[in-house]
Amino acid sequence: MFTDLHLAPRAANTRPLTPLDLLSRTLEVHGNKPGVAWRDHLWTYAEFGDLVARMTGWLRTQGVGAGDVVSVILSNRPELLAAHFAVPALGAILNTINTRLDPQDILYILDHSGAKLLLTEPATHAALSDCPVPIEVLCEAPDDLSSLNFFHGPVPSFDLTAAIADENQPISLNYTSGTTGRPKGVVYTHRSAYLNALGNVLGMGLTQDSRYLWTLPMFHCNGWCHTWAVTAAAGTHVCLDRVEPALVVDTIKARSVTHMCCAPVVLYMLLDHTSCPMPHRVKVAMGGAAPTPALLAGLEKMGLDLVHLYGLTESYGPVTINDPGDNAAIDLEDRARYLARQGLRHVTAARARVVDDKGNEVPADGKTQGEIVLAGNTVMAGYYRNREATEDAFRDGVFHSGDIAVMHPDGQIEIRDRAKDIIISGGENVSSLEVEATLHRHPDVLFAAVVAVPDPKWGEVPCAFVELKENGTLDTATADAFCRQHLAGFKRPKYFVFGALPRTATGKIQKFELRERARSRIAS
């Protein structure tokens, strides 16, 4: 009986899922609420909606329409947030580009994506003298709302969702970091972005009283979909166009920030800057590395409550979440061990599985390693103009992450390493993450990264790159003695290199560059 034609979907009960609807609802219900803050300015959602409408109208005059790609290279400012709604409102696809890429990589992405035009800031424009794509350069900073780009003339009247005929049509195109070759363009759909945004609302506990600080770049997985999530909750977006410890701390205090997301390096920078407590608790979602006891102790003293997320560009950002909440262990070592896990499935994602090389789930014993694979509603549509890479990533009916992990008896996953970062020394597998975690326990270490380098006897050995705290005095002999106390012999780094570590704009260590440095150093 449930296959009767009169029960089939129809216009009255079927509407494409899209993040644009999240803004529409917030404008209807919470138009007078504070929507966007930047520097000394604060605008309501109604005013932000006007900015989106004007940007949409301007894009239309530039010939942007359904299926076109609009590229954006901007810091975390209101126009970038507005582009997350204005571009897809035309049925076009938003392509946010890493602000720290060199001009050649930017030109490759513009060419590969077939960008119709580029929105950027003066500094980037100056570096792209040979750009074949039309460029619109935004003002340096607003004096008030009316000085923002696109905020001129009457507000166009339009339906935000009118151009969305299919919830599976693309909403954005995000390029991977390209650490193993040319960047790949990851295609996001309206449906999956909508679902992951709502998952963030529930997972992070966002409400209309939330004030979200943009320490995470909006260009990175569309800000892990928080561009749409914070809007769905009618929380306040607190834009931050540069991540400097003093500015972050001052903004948390001035704007009464309740939530933020970032890479671990940002948290280490904050602790290196101050240990003074914030005037209120702040929920911080971190991804990219396991927290150390020292980090947890410092964050707790500052009033920052840590949540550990796991995800990839290909999964719209977070796909699992570890939020101990009120069940957090009292002992710091126990808490650190627990928070090292990547947690359980994100609210709107399917369960992350850990499988062996035959596709069978590994025992949930916290010891047996396998690869994390994903299958669900928040996995990419595929790689743009790259059928071969798409089919390889989706082989056997799942998405292969390339991350090596274990499954604990309670169902939580815990990453041991990236498949490409496992060091095989004398036939033994060495986890670079384990060695890094050990080095982070030393009080002088701000950040550490470990890579494999060739060795004539052992095949590969670990090489440790160490960035010290401001007054740190750790040297090779002391570092080696410290590792001897805490690591098996085959796991200890054979080489130590001290100095600043190269990072991406999202704070991740660029291990591909460290591998080149290590090989060059040893060869010489």
Side-chain angles (χ1 to χ4, degrees):
M1 62 177 287
F2 292 105
T3 58
D4 291 349
L5 289 178
H6 74 278
L7 298 179
R10 62 184 74 201
N13 60 23
T14 305
R15 180 181 176 90
L17 300 180
T18 172
L20 303 183
D21 238 353
L22 304 176
L23 176 58
S24 290
R25 190 258 178 188
T26 293
L27 291 174
E28 292 172 11
V29 180
H30 301 290
N32 293 325
K33 274 197 82 280
V36 181
W38 187 33
R39 300 183 180 178
D40 296 328
H41 306 286
L42 179 65
W43 302 293
T44 66
Y45 265 107
E47 290 171 320
F48 175 69
D50 288 348
L51 174 61
V52 172
R54 286 186 166 97
M55 182 183 286
T56 304
W58 180 85
L59 289 169
R60 187 182 286 115
T61 67
Q62 304 305 302
V64 175
D68 289 331
V69 173
V70 175
S71 295
V72 183
I73 308 176
L74 292 173
S75 54
N76 285 346
R77 52 188 289 168
E79 296 97 333
L80 178 52
L81 181 62
H84 279 78
F85 300 93
V87 173
L90 293 169
I93 298 104
L94 177 65
N95 168 225
T96 54
I97 299 177
N98 188 326
T99 57
R100 293 187 180 178
L101 291 181
D102 63 50
Q104 291 307 309
D105 286 333
I106 292 173
L107 291 174
Y108 169 79
I109 291 173
L110 293 174
D111 176 67
H112 186 268
S113 67
K116 182 90 172 183
L117 59 85
L118 170 66
L119 304 179
T120 191
E121 292 165 309
T124 303
H125 181 228
L128 293 176
S129 55
D130 298 326
C131 181
V133 176
I135 299 178
E136 173 73 8
V137 182
L138 273 57
C139 60
E140 285 284 5
D143 296 321
D144 53 37
L145 184 64
S146 63
S147 66
L148 282 176
N149 287 69
F150 316 110
F151 210 89
H152 306 288
V155 180
S157 177
F158 77 107
D159 181 349
L160 264 172
T161 63
I164 315 306
D166 181 355
E167 63 186 21
N168 290 307
Q169 70 189 67
I171 188 171
S172 63
L173 177 62
N174 294 305
Y175 280 79
T176 61
S177 58
T179 56
T180 58
R182 284 293 194 182
K184 295 191 289 289
V186 177
V187 178
Y188 286 8
T189 67
H190 283 256
R191 178 177 187 270
S192 296
Y194 175 94
L195 291 171
N196 208 53
L198 293 186
N200 286 340
V201 173
L202 294 169
M204 290 292 289
L206 297 172
T207 71
Q208 57 184 291
D209 296 320
S210 299
R211 292 167 294 279
Y212 180 90
L213 181 62
W214 276 105
T215 41
L216 179 76
M218 290 185 202
F219 67 69
H220 183 51
C221 307
N222 301 116
W224 295 351
C225 291
H226 281 90
T227 47
W228 301 305
V230 176
T231 303
T236 303
H237 296 269
V238 181
C239 294
L240 194 71
D241 43 10
R242 62 191 189 280
V243 180
E244 297 173 355
L247 180 60
V248 171
V249 170
D250 290 346
T251 306
I252 289 174
K253 295 177 180 178
R255 294 292 185 186
S256 299
V257 167
T258 60
H259 294 76
M260 58 185 276
C261 296
C262 61
V265 63
V266 174
L267 300 178
Y268 284 109
M269 288 166 54
L270 290 180
L271 292 183
D272 204 34
H273 169 72
T274 182
S275 59
C276 296
M278 297 296 100
H280 56 275
R281 307 298 295 183
V282 181
K283 191 167 190 174
V284 180
M286 182 193 82
T292 64
L295 177 63
L296 286 176
L299 295 179
E300 185 168 281
K301 186 176 180 180
M302 284 186 68
L304 306 183
D305 299 321
L306 195 65
V307 176
H308 195 181
L309 302 176
Y310 164 71
L312 312 94
T313 302
E314 290 88 343
S315 65
Y316 295 70
V319 72
T320 67
I321 182 170
N322 183 354
D323 183 359
D326 296 334
N327 296 320
I330 296 176
D331 181 75
L332 277 176
E333 292 284 349
D334 290 341
R335 213 179 319 163
R337 276 193 292 271
Y338 183 83
L339 268 170
R341 303 176 183 183
Q342 278 65 35
L344 300 165
R345 61 188 279 181
H346 201 244
V347 181
T348 49
R351 185 171 69 93
R353 299 166 54 236
V354 181
V355 302
D356 59 24
D357 54 8
K358 294 182 180 179
N360 300 314
E361 292 194 29
V362 301
D365 56 10
K367 298 177 181 178
T368 307
Q369 297 186 9
E371 183 187 11
I372 297 175
V373 295
L374 309 173
N377 292 311
T378 57
V379 177
M380 67 169 183
Y383 296 117
Y384 184 55
R385 296 173 59 187
N386 196 334
R387 180 183 296 274
E388 182 178 349
T390 300
E391 295 303 325
D392 181 60
F394 283 119
R395 65 188 183 277
D396 305 320
V398 293
F399 173 75
H400 290 261
S401 71
D403 288 322
I404 304 302
V406 298
M407 179 72 73
H408 286 278
D410 63 358
Q412 292 207 60
I413 62 170
E414 182 177 355
I415 290 179
R416 290 290 188 250
D417 222 329
R418 289 285 295 170
K420 63 185 178 184
D421 291 335
I422 290 287
I423 303 166
I424 304 176
S425 185
E428 298 283 355
N429 285 356
V430 178
S431 166
S432 63
L433 295 183
E434 180 186 358
V435 184
E436 290 163 5
T438 298
L439 288 167
H440 281 139
R441 292 165 62 184
H442 194 283
D444 284 356
V445 174
L446 178 63
F447 223 81
V450 175
V451 298
V453 291
D455 184 84
K457 181 177 180 180
W458 303 109
E460 292 180 335
V461 292
C463 175
F465 288 82
V466 181
E467 183 173 334
L468 299 179
K469 294 180 180 178
E470 187 173 350
N471 298 315
T473 59
L474 185 69
D475 57 18
T476 296
T478 309
D480 182 61
F482 182 79
C483 289
R484 285 177 180 274
Q485 296 176 18
H486 301 286
L487 290 170
F490 70 92
K491 297 181 179 180
R492 293 201 307 268
K494 187 173 182 179
Y495 307 97
F496 291 90
V497 182
F498 296 91
L501 302 184
R503 300 181 178 90
T504 67
T506 57
K508 293 181 180 179
I509 303 302
Q510 295 176 310
K511 282 197 171 183
F512 69 98
E513 184 173 326
L514 294 181
R515 292 187 188 96
E516 291 302 319
R517 289 186 189 181
R519 293 189 186 100
S520 299
R521 188 182 186 93
I522 292 168
S524 61

